[in-house]
Amino acid sequence: MKLNPFCMCCAVNKQEKNIRGFSDMDRKTEYMKKVMALLAGASDEDCAPSLSAELKKLYSEFWKQPEEDYSRIKKDFNQLMLDTEPAIEKKIQNAPDPLAAALLYARTGNYIDFAALSHVDPQTVLSLLEDENTDPLDPEEYGRFLEELKYCKKLLYITDNCGEIVLDKLAVKVLKEQYPNIHITVLVRGFPTVNDATMEDAAETGMTSVAEVVGNGSNVCGTWLAGISKEARELLDNADLIISKGQGNFETLHGSGLNIYYLFLCKCEWFQQQFHARPLEGMFLNERRLPK
């Protein structure tokens, strides 16, 4: 997705908010000039998530501050979802359409996003899951999705956040049960970034025991084609069908032309405007049928 004025302003506002607690006004002005220079120098390949990674680095180096450590948060949310996993798996198995149910639960888990939301509440996660996913998958896209699965040989499932990956695991399990001839690979972040799922989370939540899991070689909150590894790029290019979770993956992959089904919640104003959606409304969209 191309960089846009809304996301650029959002990035500037976030950085200004980050430094409000510092007292040296001249130093703060100097920093904000560097922020705006970084944004002004963005390349055509850049997007909001790739620039966010650069801004985190700039903030840490300029203010001599360690980058935020989400390791405790990740463990807590992974365990929260592991605790709920048996009950949710039972609901999925008893649903009229287990695959649709699994995808809906996986989409609901996209709420666990510390990059897009200022506060992520465990009780809200549980409440959203208990509501049993009242936003259905788009019926036309879901029909096309099922038709493509009949002929699919290689499927790539791109995860997003910690905790959420447990629900992704349940979706992958249903896909493997219903389509045993499809080879499914799961793609996670290559390095820790905010609360995104990495290989460590995949192992901790049992995803590695369900499917082949590969790190994408990048610390960007998404699947930024200019920054991922050769192996990850080959998985994308060779997949017959891709399931992409979360806003960050949409921001980094939209415009690629790959056969991607995006599954996410609208968590910021820009996404709500783009898709005429209410806050946290669920989306199920295909890359090749979206406006450029």
Side-chain angles (χ1 to χ4, degrees), residues 46-47 73 88 97 132 140 158 162 187 197 268 272 278 290:
D46 275 311
C47 57
I73 287 172
I88 293 175
D97 184 343
E132 298 191 4
E140 291 188 9
I158 307 176
C162 69
L187 193 66
C268 76
Q272 290 155 28
R278 66 182 184 281
L290 285 170

Side-chain angles (χ1 to χ4, degrees), residues 4 20 31 36 46 95 97 107 123 125 148 188 202 224 239 248 255 263 291:
N4 62 76
R20 284 182 192 175
Y31 175 71
M36 289 184 280
D46 275 311
D97 184 343
R107 185 177 68 182
Q123 290 306 312
V125 180
E148 289 196 51
V188 297
W224 185 42
L263 197 63

